[in-house]
Structures are given as C-alpha cells and as structure tokens.
Amino acid sequence: MGPFRWLTVNSPDGAQGVELVLEPMSFPPAQTYQKALFDAGMPGTAFLTEDIQAEFARRKERGVKFHGEPKSMGLIISVVFEDSCGNLINLVQPLL
C-alpha cells in the first residue's frame, strides 16, 4: 500500500469480522475534526465491557488517563478515557 501500513485489531470474543481502524491524522482537516471532538469531550468510539469497575481499575493502574469515575447513566455505566493518539474513548457496561 505504498507508504501506508496498518494494524488490524480484533477480539477473539467479539463479533466475527469486526475490526478497529484508526485513520492517519496527517490530513489537516482530520486533525481539526479530531481536536474539535476532543475539546468538546466527544468520544470517537466506545468499547463494551461486562465489568467496568475491573476494567477501570486495570487500565488506571497501567496509566490510562480517565475523565472521571465510572458513572451510572440509565441503562449503562460509562467512563471516558484518552487513547495515545488524541482521541477520547467511551468504556461502557450495559446494565441489561
């Protein structure tokens, strides 16, 4: 693919064929959009977990920067964290 490379990440426990794609940020409009989302506190994506307290503790211990503590929001418990590429990610535990 010329100068481009990618890494495919998927879960052996997840849906077949689902992949996470992080697009390159070398395109200036993409950088502006990413920063606007971050500054507005808008996560770029969400990951589901069955035990948000355990995931929160494990990731926090490894140095992940969270924006608060897990919080009940109706039918989910949610907490937002930063990835290492300038994005916010929502960690969600469905309660049903």
Side-chain angles (χ1 to χ4, degrees):
M1 296 297 298
F4 302 102
R5 298 171 192 242
W6 70 85
L7 172 67
T8 299
V9 179
N10 60 29
S11 168
D13 299 326
Q16 191 75 332
V18 173
E19 298 178 1
L20 173 64
V21 178
L22 298 174
E23 296 295 341
M25 295 306 297
S26 59
F27 184 53
Q31 294 169 6
T32 301
Y33 179 69
Q34 179 193 38
K35 182 175 181 341
L37 285 177
F38 188 93
D39 291 346
M42 298 294 297
T45 194
F47 294 138
L48 298 179
T49 180
E50 294 179 1
D51 188 346
I52 199 167
Q53 294 298 337
E55 283 296 322
F56 175 76
R58 184 175 70 85
R59 292 169 192 264
K60 192 169 185 178
E61 182 179 289
R62 293 182 177 176
V64 172
K65 182 176 179 183
F66 284 89
H67 289 218
E69 302 278 324
K71 179 175 158 184
S72 179
M73 302 178 77
L75 298 176
I76 65 167
I77 301 171
S78 176
V79 65
V80 174
F81 66 93
E82 296 179 20
D83 71 3
S84 60
C85 300
N87 301 293
L88 296 176
I89 308 294
N90 197 8
L91 183 62
V92 177
Q93 177 184 335
L95 294 176
L96 294 178

